[in-house]
Amino acid sequence: MKNIYKSFFWLMVPMALKELIAAFINLLDSVMLGSFGGDVIAAVGIANQWFFLFSLVVFGVCGGAGVFASQYWGARNYGRMRKVLGLNIILVIMAAVIFVLPASLAPEAIIRVFRKDAAVVEYGANYLRIACFSYIFAGLTSAFDISLCCSEKANIPFISRLVGLFVNLVANQLLIFGAGPIPAMGVEGAAIATIIARATEFLIILGAVYGKKLLQAATPKELFSVPTDMLGGYFKAAVPIIINESVWALGTTVYSWVYSQISTDATVIITIVQNVERLLLVFFHGGGNATGILVGKMIGGGEYDKAYSVSKRLCFMNTAFSLAISAVFILARPLVLIPYNITPEVYSEALKVLFLMACFMNIKALTFLFIVGIFRNGGDPKVAAAIDISSVWLVGVPLVCLSGLVLKLPITHIYLMMMVEELVKLILSIWRFKSKKWIRNLVK
């Protein structure tokens, strides 16, 4: 059992740090543009909702690949792992094209879905029109990322994200504010810096994979000649995950849309809160993904009872750690608002919502562990999708629309209605976990 925990921490730490850095990269534009005022913060926050949608679709595609990659890794079938990577590359490129085309050709239309203020639309469209081309690099990086993590090489994606963060920081400083012969470009400069950073991440991963001749350093034939008998099983597991992430993302976008209909101040508050929440949850996402890889590996190797007992212990660890993080953040939350140039009213409301977010973060961390980490990689993506989608669309979305658009309650009340979704999700997840029906070997 000690070796399992050692493997868990060796996977969890770089995966969590990688998630932390990725969250910082997404937050960086918003923070460094914060001095330009509320319209710019809201505009970049809305524009990044489009990337958020894309990233969740990619997360779903890569999640399907991760189910098979982790179980093939446990079964020591490395040839099939390469085929999974090749199929994943094809799918993420297709997803990138679907999102890049409308964002580059009609960004104003996307921004207007959320907010019709002329200044917000202009800033958001200028940012999105350029930044959308970074999606191609982000998708390719994610495809290699999941394959490397499933083969327990999580340090490489972490290093690439770390370098990307520094590149983004320097490029943002130069391009947003200008320096010497480089003119100040504001939101357009932030968008260009994002492309440079994500291209850098992908090139580092590609260089490491082929330079070190790792498992993923395959020829085009090894990657893209996918056997037909593998396609059926892959899509049977991957499609529920892709649908899950896409439909869940749509529900989350509805939440953002409701806040955007209230006021620009509400959009600013929820943008800040969502950015901070992503930072706080990265360690739990890293832990959930690490748990999934180990669970998939054990099930692929036929160790079913061990997969259940290890998962149960990791759930308790997750809960204890998240409670500690919440307590610290509640005391320190005023510090996260320092970079933002916001009014006293927005500051006061943001503090209240950040408090609620910290309280419910513990439940979110545990439901992520169950649904993304344990159920999916354990071979039960359909039920995982059913729990996730039903909680969002039968509970969360109706309550948020009712409280925000009909009853017009304060933003703190709307946020509480949104969190009812997580409570329902937790109850259903515990019931499914105890049944042990999620343990299924998909590569046997």
Side-chain angles (χ1 to χ4, degrees):
M1 194 64 76
K2 284 184 178 180
N3 288 334
I4 290 293
Y5 289 127
K6 184 179 178 181
S7 297
F8 171 76
F9 282 108
W10 275 110
L11 275 172
M12 186 273 286
V13 171
M15 290 180 78
L17 291 175
K18 174 194 63 145
E19 291 275 344
L20 180 65
I21 291 165
F24 264 121
I25 290 173
N26 291 335
L27 178 63
L28 206 54
D29 290 348
S30 179
V31 170
M32 294 188 75
L33 290 166
S35 61
F36 288 75
D39 284 343
V40 173
I41 296 172
V44 174
I46 290 170
N48 277 330
Q49 282 296 318
W50 191 247
F51 176 74
F52 178 60
L53 280 174
F54 166 73
S55 65
L56 287 174
V57 172
V58 168
F59 185 73
V61 171
C62 292
V67 171
F68 280 88
S70 61
Q71 293 200 10
Y72 279 133
W73 178 249
R76 302 181 186 275
N77 193 335
Y78 306 134
R80 286 288 174 119
M81 278 192 75
R82 294 189 184 96
K83 305 296 184 189
V84 169
L85 172 60
L87 188 54
N88 201 13
I89 289 171
I90 293 169
L91 293 174
V92 297
I93 290 174
M94 289 171 61
V97 170
I98 290 169
F99 276 84
V100 169
L101 283 176
S104 59
L105 297 175
E108 294 88 356
I110 294 171
I111 304 299
R112 284 197 188 97
V113 171
F114 294 89
R115 199 81 197 151
K116 292 181 172 57
D117 299 14
V120 173
V121 171
E122 181 183 356
Y123 288 130
N126 289 344
Y127 179 86
L128 183 58
R129 183 182 289 109
I130 299 169
C132 67
F133 290 99
S134 71
Y135 298 6
I136 298 167
F137 297 113
L140 289 169
T141 298
S142 297
F144 278 92
D145 185 333
I146 191 68
S147 185
L148 286 165
C149 289
C150 287
S151 58
E152 300 182 59
K153 293 283 189 299
N155 58 315
I156 294 173
F158 161 63
I159 292 169
S160 77
R161 291 295 204 289
L162 184 61
V163 175
L165 174 64
F166 284 110
V167 168
N168 203 0
L169 181 63
V170 173
N172 263 355
Q173 183 65 40
L174 293 174
L175 299 175
I176 292 174
F177 304 105
I182 302 173
M185 290 186 277
V187 292
E188 291 93 340
I192 294 169
T194 299
I195 295 175
I196 294 170
R198 292 202 167 115
T200 302
E201 291 173 11
F202 175 61
L203 291 174
I204 289 172
I205 283 186
L206 210 59
V209 164
Y210 283 91
K212 293 176 176 290
K213 294 182 171 57
L214 300 178
L215 169 69
Q216 291 75 20
T219 64
K221 185 177 180 181
E222 288 176 306
L223 286 173
F224 303 120
S225 59
V226 181
T228 53
D229 69 303
M230 180 180 160
L231 285 173
Y234 178 90
F235 282 109
K236 190 175 180 180
V239 168
I241 298 176
I242 295 168
I243 293 173
N244 183 177
E245 292 302 325
S246 302
V247 176
W248 181 84
L250 186 58
T252 304
T253 304
V254 171
Y255 295 154
S256 297
W257 177 78
V258 171
Y259 288 114
S260 73
Q261 300 309 298
I262 298 169
S263 66
T264 298
D265 284 351
T267 304
V268 171
I269 291 167
I270 205 63
T271 297
I272 293 170
V273 171
Q274 286 174 342
N275 284 334
V276 174
E277 183 182 56
R278 286 166 195 162
L279 287 177
L280 289 177
L281 286 174
V282 292
F283 283 99
F284 305 106
H285 287 179
N289 289 324
T291 299
I293 290 167
L294 293 176
V295 167
K297 180 181 176 182
M298 285 181 274
I299 291 174
E303 300 176 292
Y304 306 135
D305 291 337
K306 189 177 181 181
Y308 180 78
S309 62
V310 167
S311 299
K312 190 174 182 180
R313 293 190 184 193
L314 291 176
C315 285
F316 285 114
M317 286 174 55
N318 175 286
T319 303
F321 186 49
S322 65
L323 286 169
I325 294 293
S326 291
V328 172
F329 178 76
I330 287 171
L331 297 175
R333 70 191 190 282
L335 299 177
V336 306
L337 297 177
I338 291 173
Y340 295 99
N341 179 23
I342 52 180
T343 64
E345 292 79 11
V346 171
Y347 180 90
S348 176
E349 288 300 305
L351 275 183
K352 294 176 187 175
V353 181
L354 285 170
F355 174 81
L356 295 174
M357 181 271 291
C359 294
F360 283 94
M361 182 186 72
N362 310 288
I363 297 174
K364 279 195 170 187
L366 194 52
T367 56
F368 183 92
L369 181 68
F370 278 128
I371 291 172
V372 177
I374 296 172
F375 297 159
R376 286 184 184 175
N377 287 274
D380 196 23
K382 288 183 180 178
V383 173
I387 292 172
D388 213 7
I389 292 171
S390 62
S391 299
V392 173
W393 284 96
L394 299 181
V395 180
V397 168
L399 287 176
V400 168
C401 289
L402 176 66
S403 58
L405 301 178
V406 180
L407 302 178
K408 300 188 185 301
L409 298 178
I411 189 171
T412 49
H413 293 59
I414 300 169
Y415 191 85
L416 280 172
M417 293 298 100
M418 189 168 69
M419 291 300 104
V420 174
E421 165 209 328
E422 297 296 332
L423 291 170
V424 172
K425 199 181 298 182
L426 180 63
I427 293 168
L428 294 174
S429 296
I430 292 173
W431 163 76
R432 185 63 177 179
F433 178 76
K434 287 184 175 180
S435 75
K436 298 185 182 181
K437 293 179 181 178
W438 52 270
I439 301 174
R440 299 175 61 210
N441 191 330
L442 301 178
V443 301
K444 190 174 180 181

